[in-house]
Amino acid sequence: MPETTWWKRGVVYQIYPRSFQDSNGDGIGDLAGIRQRLDYLVSLGVDAVWISPIYTSPMADFGYDVADYCGIDPIFGTMKDFDRLIEAAHARGLKLILDFVPNHTSDQHPWFAESRSSRTNPKRDWYIWRDSAPDGGPPNNWISNFGGPAWEWDEATGQYYYHAFLKEQPDLNWRNPEVRQAMYDALRFWLDRGVDGFRVDVIWHLIKDAEFRDNPPNVAYQPSQAEINRFLQVHSADQPEVHEVVGEMRRVLEEYPERVLIGEIYLPLERLVTYYGQDLSGAHLPFNFQLIQTAWNAREIAALIDEYEAAIPDGGWPNWVLGNHDQPRIGARIGKQQARVAAMLLLTLRGTPTLYYGDEIGIGKVEIPEDAVQDPWEKNEPGLGLSRDPERTPMHWDGSAQGGFTTGRPWLPLDPTFTQCHVEALSKDPTSILTLYRRLIALRRQHLALSVGRYVPVEAQGDMLAYERRHGSERFVVALNLGHRPHTLVLPVGANGHVVLSTFLDRDDEPFDGQVSLRADEGLIALLQD
Ligand code: GLC
């Protein structure tokens, strides 16, 4: 795979479809809405769009509970809307990546209806059914990721079924070859329609321990944490046989040219990189969430970059993520000023960056009133701060009521700052965060050093994180001040050049010689002279 492959050079943008643009006034975003906003994505400069699930779903987990892998949920539109969207995206040179949710279906999926109808149904073994433990309780101690036991008793057939998430999301049995074939056919259905790749939901969960052994207790567990942390997930996920499945998915994609396989994987680095597969036969991009999980601190981030670069197998391509629909927004985590520095980091690291919609307009911490809570996880385990609603609020397009997102009542409240902080206003402001994102993406597109170039560490002390990106004779220094006090970065004698971009957008072309000074919360990209 050459370094010019689109998913290596390009920038991916994640859309949470319920919250991007509503076109019919029901308060929920839809496919026609996304189509209306494609020109915005082109103006932002991204290369590919990943859309969270749009399949037929009862929406118990907002689309991550699929009832038909080859259907579009009416909330989002019709298959015709989908075809129009993909055509319009491709006409603009944008790639379209779909979410694929293979670990579990909805309990309303016809496969599950058959499976639960009797113990002898041919689809019984498509899901994970087990007898109760001798005491009548669940077969083992596995916990649902959303709290409570992961086993649900089925009165009619007298067995438990396994669900790693909600009880409305029964896990498929990926050891069954018929399940695999049915799911690969679903992939082909979308690939035939022109989809450019998939982000595969919880891919490390697909295979469970063949003996369903109990998970060991986690001694570090605190009751303030989500219940899933009571046990170490040693037997319920990340089993060696999962790599066979990932490899099979990869081969399905390879029946088509230039498609990308992205895996959602929350594992420590050394486990994460195994998902590139033996001889790179696995996921092209096992999502790297380490920036989300690492403290906002120069030394730790620099160590993380080094460790990650060192851990990636030969020929494997890195990637970086700052936010998604399951994680607190970057602006909420580190504040508005540092969110700009984070944007510069994300867009100047080696590897494919994935942006989360709304981060480019600086959406920050959004309070969700109790009576507006939507997230089923928050409803299951209230009060622990687990809600994912704050990162799923609607996009702000203009200064009109509901930010131009909907003419109706939005399904989640907007960030109250939407009246000033919206695409229309920020686009006109040469110093806005949106302008910064646009310029960063454009620079990255213009200079191979910033996308595929070598990463060379320079400094990681106190609040200062600095590195070089090099390609051919081109050398950039990226200097990021992760703190709230000014700092000066001293470079080797004779290192001079000029500033290309500051996160404050006010130092273009400023020359430097031997050192660069950074204001509080400032990041800089500078071009070094030969
Ligand atoms: C993934 C999704 C998350 C969903 C869960 C269950 O982690 O990103 O939103 O709730 O899987 O499908």
Side-chain angles (χ1 to χ4, degrees), residues 61 64 104 146 165 199 201-202 264 325-326 388 392:
D61 189 21
Y64 285 96
H104 42 267
F146 290 148
F165 294 88
R199 170 269 190 192
D201 192 62
V202 296
E264 185 207 20
H325 64 292
D326 298 323
R388 299 169 296 174
R392 297 177 175 181

